[in-house]
Amino acid sequence: MFNFPIETSSEEETEVFEEVKKELLHEEMQWWLNEYEKFEMEDTELFAMEQDNVICPICQIANFKLINEHLSCSQCEISFKTEKSLDDIKKLILSNLELHSAVCSHEPQFNLIMEPSRAHVYLICESCSEMKLVI
């Protein structure tokens, strides 16, 4: 039906095609780089936000709030007095979890235990029977 010549493209068409291909690849690369930069910014912003926050180890949902040496969690409604900073509390929680994971493969729980003069948060593991004062 159709009679096409054997040579379907000329050198000029090939050059134009290659140029368009390069431009498209360049545009796609630029898009990927822009997306990567956006992701990096978001990741950096999230990291900065997380540094100031300490997730309550008891409910593992809300962040602790420290106001006038009074530590509280809005989710599990615990509240007690402490002289430690949020940064110190975060370090204590993480270091105790790390120490525990070095000797036991089970995940411990954190519980608030009321004592006669004050309250404390303890790390408790039913598997290895560890009970350790954290805060």
Side-chain angles (χ1 to χ4, degrees):
M1 288 194 167
F2 295 104
N3 194 6
F4 292 109
I6 296 173
E7 188 178 304
T8 57
S9 65
S10 66
E11 281 185 41
E12 198 173 292
E13 287 176 333
T14 305
E15 288 176 18
V16 169
F17 176 73
E18 289 299 318
E19 190 64 34
V20 169
K21 185 178 173 183
K22 285 179 186 177
E23 285 179 32
L24 288 171
L25 286 171
H26 179 72
E27 287 175 14
E28 184 177 1
M29 186 60 78
Q30 285 301 116
W31 182 83
W32 279 109
L33 287 172
N34 290 339
E35 290 299 309
Y36 179 76
E37 287 173 1
K38 280 190 229 175
F39 175 77
E40 285 295 308
M41 279 191 232
E42 290 171 2
D43 198 35
T44 303
E45 289 168 3
L46 278 174
F47 180 72
M49 286 181 0
E50 288 177 358
Q51 283 185 325
D52 297 338
N53 295 330
V54 179
I55 296 175
C56 172
I58 297 169
C59 70
Q60 298 179 3
I61 297 173
N63 289 319
F64 271 143
K65 291 184 180 161
L66 183 63
I67 301 170
N68 298 330
E69 295 184 344
H70 213 264
L71 190 66
S72 63
C73 173
S74 60
Q75 180 67 31
C76 58
E77 298 179 358
I78 65 165
S79 180
F80 61 97
K81 188 174 172 104
T82 182
E83 295 173 1
K84 295 179 178 9
S85 69
L86 276 178
D87 191 45
D88 290 340
I89 291 167
K90 186 176 191 174
K91 287 176 185 175
L92 285 167
I93 292 168
L94 293 175
S95 67
N96 278 289
L97 282 171
E98 189 176 314
L99 288 171
H100 180 263
S101 68
V103 294
C104 180
S105 62
H106 293 87
E107 189 173 327
Q109 301 296 314
F110 289 88
N111 290 306
L112 181 70
I113 297 178
M114 301 300 290
E115 295 179 357
S117 61
R118 57 191 307 162
H120 294 285
V121 175
Y122 281 85
L123 175 144
I124 299 171
C125 180
E126 293 179 6
S127 178
C128 68
S129 301
E130 180 176 17
M131 182 173 176
K132 189 172 184 181
L133 174 67
V134 178
I135 306 170

